[in-house]
């Protein structure tokens, strides 16, 4: 099915229409606190507030006043979007019954069901939803830690880091070298680093055509690999040097002061280094005590934590099974979670969990590709049911239609997250 803004929102509206008429607890409004205002948290907060018709008190904690989507941020690097086009405010959520608090959550006491804020406030909850996105594993890339992010940006949390990487890209000398250190699995947005390579290559092809791109990758293969490599050969011949695991791509260190990247013992001076380290759940999940290793295990049926039935973990931070860590996945999981939370607090009907995901990538102007699947909840995990992927050798018309589909999806999901009018 071709997905656009209208069909994305229409599907959401149908789902929402089936979730009406909650039965409120006699002792007063139940309280839901949501930490993290991205694709998972914003969606969950909006749906719980909307579908409970005010009968659940919903508070969203998010430190930033403007949320910049990681999805489509690569298009900003390539010059296809402005930074404002990927930025979204929380006014729509506030106008639709969500109490939006711009602060950092710094503590969770699961015994007393209390969240502590950096500003000194506290919030009681009956149900807590965590959607904090990602943080980075310390020293996952030797020589790089978070203090090096200004010299060698990760740009894997969109906003100022994305603007910094774009500025560095624009300042590259003629014929310079752009290096990327790609992350190991699992990580946010499996095709993301390779769409980024494509968008950087597009920018350089137009503005700095003798520049080179080096990609050091600890993986032997990556999402949509054949599609990206076909695109790089077709559009950016000779510009991109991908060094996979078999050729030392996993043996990498960096020096942010000297601006060098060493791959399998060979040191290279670079002009821009985009270091994307190994990832883990956002820190509040660890503070809340719901992680096991780097991620937070959840029950597939409702996204509840395996450590605490009154805590739910969405999106990138969760360890849920077969779904990729993507904005679409987080949005899909949030709707399942919202339905389950509202049912638990008000007695309204809870429907069987169903999930879906699509990841679009832009390789060059109007050359869009996609991969996606549908999923179901099993006792063990969220399990893939079926899937699809673009094919190599597709016509220009098909690729253009795929890109246009992605634009429609972006308009639809951001409206779905933040409450903009269809």
């Amino acid at each position: 099915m071709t997905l656009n803004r209208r069909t994305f929102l229409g599907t959401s509206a149908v789902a929402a229409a089936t979730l009406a008429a909650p039965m409120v607890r006699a002792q007063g409004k139940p309280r839901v606190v949501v930490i993290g205002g991205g694709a998972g948290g914003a969606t969950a907060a909006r749906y719980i507030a909307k579908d409970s018709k005010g009968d659940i008190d919903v508070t969203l904690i998010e430190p930033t006043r403007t949320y910049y989507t990681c999805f489509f941020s690569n298009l900003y690097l390539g010059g296809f979007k402005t930074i404002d086009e990927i930025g979204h405010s929380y006014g729509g959520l506030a106008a639709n019954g969500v109490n939006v608090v711009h602060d950092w959550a710094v503590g969770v006491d699961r015994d007393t069901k209390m969240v502590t804020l950096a500003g000194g406030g506290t919030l009681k909850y009956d149900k807590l939803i965590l959607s904090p996105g990602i943080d980075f594993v310390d020293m996952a890339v030797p020589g790089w830690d978070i203090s090096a992010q200004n010299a060698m940006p990760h740009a894997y949390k969109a906003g100022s880091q994305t603007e910094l990487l774009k500025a560095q890209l624009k300042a590259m000398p003629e014929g310079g070298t752009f290096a990327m250190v790609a992350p190991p699995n699992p990580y946010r947005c499996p095709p993301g680093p390779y769409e980024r390579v494509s968008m950087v290559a597009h920018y350089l092809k137009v503005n700095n055509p003798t520049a080179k791109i080096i990609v050091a990758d600890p993986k032997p293969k990556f999402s949509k690999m054949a599609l990206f490599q076909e695109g790089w050969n077709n559009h950016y011949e000779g510009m991109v040097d991908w060094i996979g695991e078999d050729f030392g791509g996993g043996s990498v260190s960096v020096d942010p002061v000297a601006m060098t990247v060493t791959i399998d013992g060979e040191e290279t001076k670079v002009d821009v280094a985009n270091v994307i380290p190994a990832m883990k759940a956002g820190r509040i999940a660890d503070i809340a005590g719901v992680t096991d290793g780097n991620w937070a295990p959840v029950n597939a049926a409702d996204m509840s934590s395996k450590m605490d039935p009154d805590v739910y973990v969405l999106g990138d931070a969760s360890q849920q099974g077969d779904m990729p860590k993507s904005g679409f996945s987080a949005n899909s999981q949030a709707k399942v979670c919202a339905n389950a939370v509202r049912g638990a607090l008000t007695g309204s009907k809870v429907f069987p969990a169903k999930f879906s995901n699509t990841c679009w990538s832009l390789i060059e102007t109007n050359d869009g590709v996609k991969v996606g699947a549908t999923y179901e909840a099993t006792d063990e995990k969220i399990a893939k049911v079926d899937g699809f992927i673009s094919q190599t050798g597709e016509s220009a018309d098909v690729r253009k239609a795929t890109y246009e589909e992605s634009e429609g999806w972006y308009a639809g999901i951001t409206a779905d997250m933040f409450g903009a009018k269809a």
Side-chain angles (χ1 to χ4, degrees):
M1 182 183 74
T2 298
L3 186 64
N4 56 35
R5 183 173 189 262
R6 185 180 298 275
T7 57
F8 187 90
L9 289 173
T11 303
S12 300
V14 170
T18 64
L19 308 180
M23 178 181 66
V24 183
R25 301 188 312 178
Q27 63 265 42
K29 282 188 182 183
R31 293 160 295 194
V32 172
V33 173
V34 183
I35 299 176
T43 304
R46 176 173 175 259
Y47 271 78
I48 293 169
K50 176 174 66 72
D51 294 339
S52 70
K53 303 186 187 303
D55 288 329
I56 296 176
D57 183 81
V58 182
T59 299
L60 174 68
I61 304 169
E62 166 58 46
T64 63
R65 294 182 179 273
T66 301
Y67 180 81
Y68 294 94
T69 57
C70 259
F71 47 96
F72 270 49
S73 65
N74 288 328
L75 275 64
Y76 163 70
L77 294 174
F80 291 90
K81 298 290 177 187
T82 66
I83 195 69
D84 289 341
E85 286 179 297
I86 63 168
H88 305 271
S89 78
Y90 292 92
L93 288 181
N96 285 279
V98 177
N99 178 31
V100 180
V101 176
H102 292 297
D103 202 345
W104 289 95
V106 295
V108 174
D109 187 326
R110 293 195 283 115
D111 292 331
T112 62
K113 293 189 173 182
M114 187 80 72
V115 174
T116 303
L117 304 179
T122 57
L123 291 167
K124 287 280 291 182
Y125 67 84
D126 294 292
K127 297 287 188 179
L128 175 64
I129 299 173
L130 303 178
S131 192
I134 56 159
D135 276 328
F136 301 109
V137 177
D138 290 338
M139 296 304 291
V141 177
W144 192 99
D145 61 22
I146 202 68
S147 68
Q149 67 178 345
N150 289 337
M152 294 182 166
H154 54 79
Y156 236 63
K157 296 182 181 181
S160 61
Q161 274 277 298
T162 323
E163 291 181 287
L164 173 61
L165 185 59
K166 179 67 175 283
Q168 293 181 352
L169 183 62
K170 292 171 73 173
M172 277 180 63
E174 184 176 348
T177 300
F178 179 102
M180 172 188 285
V181 179
N185 293 320
Y187 62 94
R188 163 180 280 176
C189 189
Y194 312 100
E195 181 188 55
R196 178 169 294 177
V197 168
S198 306
M199 291 294 93
V200 169
H202 168 82
Y203 176 86
L204 293 175
K205 181 180 177 181
V206 173
N207 298 282
N208 191 349
T210 58
K212 299 293 184 184
I213 299 171
I214 300 170
V215 183
D217 200 329
K219 305 179 293 297
K221 59 183 180 178
F222 55 84
S223 177
K224 294 188 276 198
M225 183 171 180
L227 294 165
F228 280 114
Q229 292 189 331
E230 175 192 57
W232 297 342
N233 288 332
N234 288 342
H235 301 301
Y236 315 115
E237 186 177 4
M239 182 179 281
V240 180
D241 182 15
W242 178 78
I243 303 169
E245 180 187 46
D246 293 343
F247 297 93
S251 178
V252 179
S253 63
V254 299
D255 185 334
V257 176
M259 284 302 293
T260 58
V261 176
T262 300
I263 303 171
D264 201 25
E266 182 177 344
E267 183 180 274
T268 301
K269 178 78 172 177
V270 301
D271 299 289
V272 178
N274 174 207
V275 179
I276 309 174
M279 299 173 199
K280 61 182 179 180
R283 186 165 180 265
I284 194 65
D286 193 44
I287 291 171
V290 295
T291 55
D292 182 6
N294 288 336
W295 308 103
V298 296
N299 298 299
D302 60 1
M303 302 302 295
S304 63
S305 166
K306 290 191 174 181
M307 315 293 186
D308 188 329
D310 291 323
V311 178
Y312 302 74
V313 187
L314 305 178
D316 297 343
S318 67
Q319 180 180 304
Q320 36 71 17
D322 294 346
M323 294 188 82
K325 297 181 184 296
S326 75
F328 199 136
S329 292
N331 174 266
S332 181
Q333 294 162 13
K335 292 171 186 176
V336 168
C337 175
N339 180 213
V341 167
R342 193 168 68 92
L345 294 177
T346 69
S348 58
K349 186 172 182 178
V350 177
F351 294 88
K354 293 184 182 300
F355 307 91
S356 61
N357 175 70
T358 303
C359 291
W360 289 268
S361 303
L362 187 62
I363 299 175
E364 175 57 295
T365 306
N366 289 325
D367 189 357
V369 294
K370 63 182 177 180
V371 62
T374 58
Y375 307 83
E376 65 183 6
T378 69
D379 290 342
E380 293 79 29
K381 64 178 183 177
I382 296 178
K384 182 177 176 180
V385 176
D386 55 34
F388 57 87
I389 187 171
S390 296
Q391 300 300 301
T392 55
E394 289 175 331
S395 70
D397 287 344
V398 168
R399 292 296 179 84
K400 182 179 180 181
T402 299
Y403 169 63
E404 290 173 346
E405 182 182 89
S406 75
E407 288 278 7
W409 169 79
Y410 185 86
I413 193 174
T414 51
D416 200 45
M417 290 163 58
F418 298 107
K421 292 181 180 179

